[in-house]
Amino acid sequence: MIKAVLFDLDGTLLNRDESLKGFIDNQYQRLNKWLGHIPKETYISRFIELDNGGYIWKDKVYQQLSKEFQISGITWEGLLQDYINEFKDNCVPFKNLIQMLEELKSSNFHLGIITNGYGQFQLDNIKALGIENYFDVILISEWEEIKKPNPKIFLRALEQLKVSPSQSIFLGDHPENDIKAAQNVGMKGIWKKDVRWDSVKADFTVNDLAELVLIIKKLNEH
């Protein structure tokens, strides 16, 4: 019997690719005085390339951009601070996010988020999506001092929710950090399809968040 549903954030609830594109576009406009000498499309595409799906922290990205494009008048630290301050204003959810959370909450499921990243930054993004209050537990790797795929962060969340791994499912987009890691502690791993990977050994795969509710209903019918 499934009692708890846990989620990754970036690429699962937050449409990070769309959010990032919106942010970079806005940053380019806002800081045009210092970035205007770079063609906009060049700035955006190079940023996305260096960011590597969010797996490279932005200090490295901005240091590289500053060097390559000879940005002067604003330091890479200044650009990074702008990212930290402004990214939340560009957060785009995946469709059916609120509807799915409403359905799960009204069916009395325990809900949690386990995400890697910087504490305040990730919490700001969760708040920007308007979903903070749906969750009983939010664990962010910086504050927990452990990160996925370490089993301890999954077990900590389950302990706080007072459920066993076999009563829980985890939805995420990363084959190792999310799916395999959740399965390793005894949870069901559901893959939120992502074009970066071909085939992932998950218990189920969803394209749309709305599909999750149906999967859980089926699991609980057996």
Side-chain angles (χ1 to χ4, degrees), residues 1 7 9 47 56 85 94 98 142 180 194 206 214:
M1 185 76 173
F7 301 89
L9 178 62
F47 190 121
I56 303 297
N85 296 344
F94 278 110
I98 299 293
E142 183 196 14
K180 200 169 172 205
D194 186 304
V206 299
L214 303 171

Side-chain angles (χ1 to χ4, degrees), residues 56-69:
I56 303 297
W57 181 239
K58 289 341 126 244
D59 54 354
K60 302 273 190 297
V61 173
Y62 283 119
Q63 284 173 59
Q64 188 63 30
L65 288 172
S66 291
K67 202 162 72 178
E68 272 182 37
F69 295 129

Side-chain angles (χ1 to χ4, degrees), residues 47-81:
F47 190 121
I48 290 168
E49 198 180 338
L50 291 168
D51 172 74
N52 187 27
Y55 291 98
I56 303 297
W57 181 239
K58 289 341 126 244
D59 54 354
K60 302 273 190 297
V61 173
Y62 283 119
Q63 284 173 59
Q64 188 63 30
L65 288 172
S66 291
K67 202 162 72 178
E68 272 182 37
F69 295 129
Q70 298 174 326
I71 297 167
S72 59
I74 187 168
T75 61
W76 68 262
E77 291 95 338
L79 290 165
L80 176 63
Q81 197 54 52

Side-chain angles (χ1 to χ4, degrees), residues 76-111:
W76 68 262
E77 291 95 338
L79 290 165
L80 176 63
Q81 197 54 52
D82 181 75
Y83 173 82
I84 292 165
N85 296 344
E86 304 287 337
F87 184 86
K88 61 182 181 295
D89 298 330
N90 298 274
C91 285
V92 178
F94 278 110
K95 70 174 199 279
N96 297 318
L97 170 62
I98 299 293
Q99 180 195 332
M100 171 205 67
L101 292 173
E102 282 287 346
E103 287 190 48
L104 293 175
K105 205 71 187 160
S106 63
S107 302
N108 296 316
F109 285 100
H110 301 296
L111 303 181

